[in-house]
Structures are given as structure tokens and as C-alpha cells.
Amino acid sequence: MAKIGTDISLAADILKSGGLVAIPTETVYGLAANAFDDTAVAKVFRAKNRPSFDPLITHIAESEALLPLVSQLPDKAKLLIEGFWPGPLTLVLPKSEKISALVSSDLPTAAFRVPRHPLLHQLLTGLPFPIVAPSANPFGYVSPTSAEHVNAQLGDQIDYILDGGPTKIGLESTIVSFAHETPEILRLGGLTTEEIETVIGSVRVNKSSSSRPSAPGMLSSHYSPSKKLILGDIPSLVKKYGNQKKGVLSFTEKYPSCVNFVLSESGSLTEAATKLFSGLRWFDSQDVELILAELLPEEGLGRAINDRLRRASFK
Ligand code: TXA
Ligand code: MG
């Protein structure tokens, strides 16, 4: 198990000497390493068992730090930066030579974000380099929203876990790509499509779920709990799976003779987002054979929540 605490100078020292530190962000916990040290970056891929074709997000303290790392900054990307950084938004942009082929999986573009978390901000401002940070979970599993989640799965492989409490948003950042002329949302996340469209107008959402997507976060099966998850109308599913031990992940209601996890009794999508991943993890520790779940309203954060539920249900 890793040491957990709030010691920013210890975290900085470990990162400076090429080690791995789990970091809190407002979205999910990340597994961080010095973005300018390929030996350290390679440890991130190993710890997560992540394929090398899946590029990493580079995290910086503030938007001014972006310029040396990119070769172009389109006007619409500038607008998004002004509107939403720091925040749950990742931009894919043509990279400069400062970003290594390992970090960007040999692509001509790379992903960047300025996270909004006071502890992480303090850490980043004290470092002479940016950090890469994928979500701190084994590849393909549900992202961690607490230091304990990280410790349970990757504790043996991390030098330190910086504990910033449970994450505020609970879903990964929204990824907007400027790889081509027209911007495109590659991954729905903590910043809603509606918010993005108020700033840059209507934007395409990449719905691809092929086995070779441009962002593996878009793989058909991703963000998966270990138990089988079935999506549909819960009352009908409860009848259909009558004699099995059933977990129910619902938006607002509890169901008799099931192990229930309610995302938000008051029907709040924001609350549901913060609880979704801990709910999925919780069922793995419960005596249930399968998880029955329902889609939430397809609006605002509901779109990103439904995206994760669909991927979690794909086996
Ligand atoms: O909220 C988040 O974004 C969290 C926190 C820790 O910042 N990070 C995160 O990282 O979710 P990760 O590695 O789990 O997901 C990043 C996604 C991957 O699906 C990757 O394929 C995609 O970003 N990505 C990175 N660089 C890319 C690029 N150049 N083109 C397309 N997709 C890219
Ligand atoms: Mg991830």
C-alpha cells in the first residue's frame, strides 16, 4: 500500500526524482509523472497496464504554460481556454517538439488540461515541468474518485498518494479535439456539451465505439466494473432476473429485495455524477451477481453519465 497524505513538498520531490504520485483533480484521481522524463512516463504505462498506443494528458498549472507545448492554437481553442480553464476540459492540439512520442503515442497532436484543484495547483506551480496524468486505475476499469480507490488498486506501484478528498465532479474531463479543421468532442465528461456550445457554437460529438478509436476512452468497453452490468427499465429487469442476487444502480428509487445504490434521491445530475464511479466500485464488494441500471435524462451531465453506463454495460 502507498503512503497517503497532503505533503506537497514530498510529492514534488518524488516527481522530481522520476517517481509516481497519485494526484487529486476536480474530475478523478490521476497517476502523475514528470512529462519531460520518458523513464518516469514509462512507469505510468506499466503501473496501469496501459497500451502504449493510448496517449496521456499533460497537466499544466495555468494556460500560459501551454504555448511552448503546442505548435498551433486555433481561435476556438483560445475561447475554450478563456471560458473553462482551470476546469474539466482537455484540449487535443498540434504538439510542439517538447512533447515526447511516448507521451503522445507518436501522434502529431497531444492532450492538455489545466485542472482546478487547490492542492494540485500548489503542486504544479512548484514544479519546473508539467505532469502527465491518466486516471489512476488499471486500464479499462472505473476511474478513482478518492485516495482510497487509488490505494486499493494501484497502491503497490505508487510512491505517494496526495489526498485531496473525494473528487468534486466525479467524471473525467471532456476532451475536445482540434486535430482537424472542425473541433470535435472525443469524450463526454465533466464539462457539458451545452456549456461548450455556448462559447464556440455547435460541435460534433464523436460517437464512434470502434476497436481503434482516436481516444481509447471511447473503446466500446471501458470504465467497467467487474460485475456484469445490464442497462434497461429496472422494474422489468428485476422481474426478468427474479432468482439472481441483484444490485440496482438507479437514479432516484430503491427496489425491494435488491441491493440498492441510489445516485441522487433528489434527481440531481451533478450529485449523480459525483457518486457514479463509487457506486460501480461498491457493487464489486457486494454479494450480488449482476448490476441492473437505468439511463438518466440525456441532457447536461446526464449525457456523460449515460456514456459511462453504456460502456460499463458493454462486455
Ligand atoms: O479528467 C481527466 O481527464 C483525468 C484526470 C486525471 O485529469 N485524466 C484522464 O486521463 O481521464 P486518461 O488517460 O484516463 O484519459 C485520457 C484520454 C484517453 O482516452 C486518451 O486516448 C485521450 O485522452 N487522448 C490523449 N491524447 C490524445 C490525442 N492526442 N488524441 C486523441 N485522444 C487523446
Ligand atoms: Mg482513464
Side-chain angles (χ1 to χ4, degrees):
M1 292 287 115
K3 197 169 168 217
I4 303 186
T6 54
D7 187 342
I8 290 175
S9 56
L10 174 60
D13 287 344
I14 293 169
L15 290 167
K16 284 177 192 165
S17 58
L20 300 185
V21 174
I23 49 151
T25 83
E26 77 280 41
T27 58
V28 298
Y29 273 73
L31 179 57
N34 177 354
F36 292 162
D37 175 352
D38 268 0
T39 311
V41 174
K43 290 184 193 164
V44 171
F45 281 95
R46 264 203 309 278
K48 273 187 63 99
N49 199 14
R50 181 180 179 112
S52 61
F53 63 76
D54 190 1
L56 303 175
I57 300 175
T58 298
H59 296 62
I60 50 182
E62 60 247 316
S63 39
E64 290 72 35
L66 178 68
L67 283 182
L69 307 177
V70 297
S71 60
Q72 272 174 53
L73 193 54
D75 287 341
K76 285 189 174 175
K78 281 186 198 147
L79 289 174
L80 291 177
I81 288 170
E82 281 161 24
F84 303 115
W85 275 4
L89 168 70
T90 294
L91 297 177
V92 170
L93 294 161
K95 65 170 192 173
S96 79
E97 76 292 343
K98 285 195 182 295
I99 301 292
S100 76
L102 182 63
V103 168
S104 60
S105 300
D106 254 336
L107 293 170
T109 56
F112 302 94
R113 120 175 172 83
V114 177
R116 183 190 285 275
H117 190 288
L119 210 55
L120 175 58
H121 183 72
Q122 230 180 310
L123 174 65
L124 279 170
T125 47
L127 291 172
F129 46 76
I131 56 177
V132 289
S135 53
N137 51 278
F139 185 70
Y141 192 74
V142 182
S143 294
T145 54
S146 71
E148 293 71 31
H149 289 168
V150 179
N151 209 12
Q153 289 189 308
L154 294 181
D156 296 345
Q157 306 181 65
I158 304 178
D159 300 301
Y160 188 60
I161 300 176
L162 189 62
D163 189 353
T167 61
K168 275 226 164 81
I169 295 177
L171 295 171
E172 301 84 351
S173 61
T174 301
I175 303 180
V176 181
S177 172
F178 287 87
H180 307 290
E181 191 91 14
T182 9
E184 187 181 18
I185 295 180
L186 294 186
R187 177 176 76 184
L188 297 169
L191 183 68
T192 64
T193 307
E194 291 89 334
E195 287 171 288
I196 290 170
E197 290 187 332
T198 57
V199 172
I200 58 167
S202 109
V203 51
R204 213 172 89 94
V205 179
N206 188 317
K207 293 241 165 66
S208 129
S209 54
S210 71
S211 57
R212 276 217 63 104
S214 41
M218 296 153 43
L219 284 168
S220 322
S221 168
H222 211 73
Y223 312 108
S224 301
S226 323
K227 302 265 163 79
K228 188 178 169 66
L229 184 142
I230 300 161
L231 267 180
D233 172 57
I234 293 177
S236 324
L237 291 173
V238 168
K239 257 194 214 141
K240 180 170 173 193
Y241 294 97
N243 48 12
Q244 299 198 40
K245 290 181 184 164
K246 299 173 291 297
V248 169
L249 180 75
S250 81
F251 189 19
T252 58
E253 305 279 318
K254 286 189 173 159
Y255 293 82
S257 67
C258 299
V259 177
N260 289 280
F261 190 97
V262 173
L263 289 170
S264 171
E265 272 173 29
S266 67
S268 150
L269 291 173
T270 310
E271 185 186 9
T274 63
K275 289 195 181 159
L276 176 67
F277 289 161
S278 49
L280 289 172
R281 276 174 189 261
W282 180 75
F283 280 117
D284 279 347
S285 69
Q286 296 301 302
D287 183 21
V288 298
E289 291 165 81
L290 39 85
I291 309 168
L292 310 177
E294 63 189 349
L295 291 174
L296 275 54
E298 192 73 29
E299 63 192 31
L301 284 177
R303 297 195 209 192
I305 294 170
N306 288 345
D307 171 81
R308 301 305 187 272
L309 285 171
R310 289 190 185 101
R311 290 179 210 281
S313 73
F314 193 96
K315 285 280 185 235

